[in-house]
Amino acid sequence: MAKGTAWGKAGGYPGGGSGKNQPSQGAWSKGRGGAAGGAWGKGDQDKGSKGEKGEKGEKGEKGKGKRPSPWSFVPLCSDDDPLGLWQISNQVPNEWVDHSHGGKPARERLHVTFALRMNKIDHLDRLEQVCGNSAPVELKVKEFFLSHVDRIRDAEVYCIGVAFESPGLRALKDTWLQGEPDEGSRRSHDPYPTSDGHVSLAYIQASAWQQAKDFVDANRTTLEGRSFMVESIAYEDERREKSHLRLAGEEGPPASVPSQGSRTAGAAAAASLLEVDGSVLEGGGQILRNSLGYAAILGYPVRITKIRAGRKTPGLAAQHLESFKLVRDLTSASLQGDKVGSCEVTFTPKKTKQGSFSTNPKTAGAITLTVQAGLMPLAFAGGTSEVEMRGGTDVDFSPPFDFMQRALIPVVGRMGVKVTAHCLHRGFFPTGGGLVNLYVDGLAGSLKPIVIDKRGHVTKIEAVCYATPPSGWLDEEDVTRTEEDFEPWLLEELADKGAPKPKVQVRCEAEQMPEGQKVFKASFGILVEMSGGGVFHASGGPLDGPKGRGSLYDVWGACAEKALVPLKAQLKTGAALDEHLLDQLILPASLAAGSSRLLGSKELTLHAQTALHIAEKMVPGVNVKVSAQEGLKLVEITGVGRKPGDSPVSPPGDSPGASTLRAALPPGTLSKAPEQLRVDLRGDLGHFSAMQGVRAEAEVGGDCICIQGCEGPDHAVRLRKELEAVCSYYGFPAPRWS
């Protein structure tokens, strides 16, 4: 090869991070948005447990002062260093290392534990059977971290370590463990059922913490995403003699694995489980709700990690947990990590079913956000379902009940979803007390696409002023003044100049106080209908009701002024529909039969961008396009025509075929390349996979690179461009695509 000198460069391709003993981040990786840090850099509590696990595992495997128990494991650095872990370990200066508390494990101690205490005769027989029936499985670096080791009491010690992910290896473990009689026995062999494996590279003195942190940050992007194929499981008997059991089957891990600890999905489910990063873009509850809805409707399991990682209080809040429980109940799903504060949740759905359900976070958690999570799964359940929902109906940073009832429900009704909602009690921050009954009729077929791509002019202005007076009645004078004064005022504020005069309606309503509480609040909600079919909504309040000689008229006026500011700003953008409504229509549009078109403002909200990201990540075959149109953003979504009762699907990229790209290289490019180049390339393809949301692997013998997970023509263009940049760096000729 003419440019084969790339093989001789110090460290190889920078993204591979091999070569000289110094931290580095590759030029290609940095240019493609490699992360400067990850979840392990954001909090020490979770990290500490992982560092601690590695050390405990090693002690359990070897034992001290007695004859060691047989055990099994996956060597990580036996003959070569496929993940570059030994190389990374060697880059840690000895002056950082705390040799009195773990030191730096030797090369042969870098392993992932498979099963401990294999003392019985049938343990080895069972392992041989499991390995003989399974093909090789992938083991991938999930996190490169620095963590405090809580178990060490006499010194402040930190651990540099690596956490792995491998659904295939997890399924193999679960298959082996099903031969154990009870949960206690299973845990004695596998103490950490929620982990796919971890390894400690070095134990660091407190005085070197900052240098170690900088080291981990510098190498994180390079290391995370690297993977290799596990082709055998090592077994060590009581005499410490080792044997290797090859994964000799032609298929993946066994297809039926019973529940083990917190892992409920079988191997088939584990193999098709999709992982969603809960910290990207909006980084909050919308990722949870949309991911949950898609998983329930499409029928495959999802694991959401780094939940609300960037928030002041990371992890699930009570309101999020109620959303998970609702969708769990209507899909008979298994749910792991379902507790307040959890930063990782695994949801494995079964079949959706109609029925009567209830939610109650016992806080002022927004009822409308729980509806967002459950509405579409309920529509796909068939029949009519009823949900009794408690919590907050009007709370900050959430859509009010008025938005759901007057904006969202009518628009999804055009798509074929019939929803009825009754508010029996209003609920406010901080105590909640709201009560809503929701009725959803199951779809008869596919969802209809929705087109709102022209603004038009304002045709109707409808405002509702409500209050929760202690008497249950509104003062007639307040009502009359409000209706008479607000109508001409709103007309002047919101009507389009030169367009036909819109209808204006203002009404005042008394609502029930929160259940069991005496809370006097007042609020204002306004809906603007457009000739182009879109609607806009805004609300002001709730504010405290009047005291002494004050009047509801004045309170409603303050609420209305608060609502008009963002409403007028939205109407001036030229968008065809409310920005909050747009992001909530993306999920049903992606499942509809046909093309939807939604005209947003100049810049899509972060919630809308997040909804589009999750749609592309989770819906096989969906086509999403965002284009500029006269200074605005036009969102075009061609849905997949999902119908109730359709068979479960696999996540995008889970199966080959149209979603697989193949980059063929000239004979000998990979098969005759030096081993170090293959190691570097393997690491860079892992990073490529993580950044592009696909799975890219080198088929060395066939001199080609395969990419699974291509989600359409536009995605294919980006993937080809990026991979050709990688090939160019290595001095490879341009690949031939198929």
Side-chain angles (χ1 to χ4, degrees), residues 393-417:
T393 59
D394 302 80
V395 293
D396 290 343
F397 309 111
S398 303
F401 175 80
D402 188 69
F403 169 86
M404 182 184 79
Q405 188 176 48
R406 298 204 290 146
L408 178 63
I409 288 177
V411 174
V412 297
R414 300 185 214 168
M415 304 181 75
V417 182

Side-chain angles (χ1 to χ4, degrees), residues 112 139 164-167 169-170 173 194-197 263 303:
V112 171
L139 182 73
F164 300 94
E165 62 177 350
S166 177
L169 187 62
R170 181 73 252 170
K173 287 187 182 183
T194 61
S195 169
D196 288 354
R263 297 283 181 153
R303 179 182 299 149

Side-chain angles (χ1 to χ4, degrees), residues 23 36 96 146 208-220:
W96 298 358
L146 175 68
W209 177 84
Q210 186 61 55
Q211 298 99 308
K213 181 181 182 299
D214 294 342
F215 173 80
V216 170
D217 288 344
N219 286 277
R220 177 178 282 116

Side-chain angles (χ1 to χ4, degrees), residues 249-273:
E250 297 182 355
E251 299 180 354
S256 179
V257 183
S259 174
Q260 302 290 348
S262 65
R263 297 283 181 153
T264 308
S272 61
L273 181 147

Side-chain angles (χ1 to χ4, degrees), residues 400-543:
F401 175 80
D402 188 69
F403 169 86
M404 182 184 79
Q405 188 176 48
R406 298 204 290 146
L408 178 63
I409 288 177
V411 174
V412 297
R414 300 185 214 168
M415 304 181 75
V417 182
K418 184 178 179 181
V419 185
T420 305
H422 299 299
C423 182
L424 282 68
H425 293 273
R426 293 281 175 166
F428 311 112
F429 181 84
T431 54
L435 174 60
V436 171
N437 283 342
L438 185 77
Y439 303 89
V440 182
D441 288 354
L443 289 165
S446 298
L447 287 161
K448 301 173 185 176
I450 185 79
V451 176
I452 309 176
D453 59 357
K454 295 179 178 62
R455 180 188 185 277
H457 60 271
V458 175
T459 59
K460 186 177 181 180
I461 302 167
E462 184 180 21
V464 177
C465 303
Y466 83 81
T468 60
S471 66
W473 299 92
L474 298 177
D475 182 85
E476 188 172 335
E477 182 179 350
D478 280 333
V479 171
T480 301
R481 286 185 65 197
T482 300
E483 292 177 351
E484 290 179 352
D485 290 355
F486 278 30
E487 286 189 9
W489 174 43
L490 295 176
L491 179 65
E492 176 67 24
E493 291 287 335
L494 299 173
D496 289 315
K497 307 302 180 187
K501 181 180 176 180
K503 296 179 181 179
V504 183
Q505 180 182 0
V506 178
R507 67 179 189 270
C508 303
E509 298 178 349
E511 298 277 350
Q512 292 296 313
M513 289 182 173
E515 274 190 297
Q517 304 174 38
K518 292 184 178 180
V519 181
F520 187 11
K521 295 282 187 179
S523 188
F524 172 89
I526 184 167
L527 186 81
V528 175
E529 297 182 8
M530 311 297 294
S531 63
V535 295
F536 291 84
H537 182 274
S539 63
L543 299 179

Side-chain angles (χ1 to χ4, degrees), residues 309-321:
R311 297 296 199 263
K312 183 178 180 180
T313 305
L316 291 176
Q319 180 267 318
H320 305 123
L321 189 56

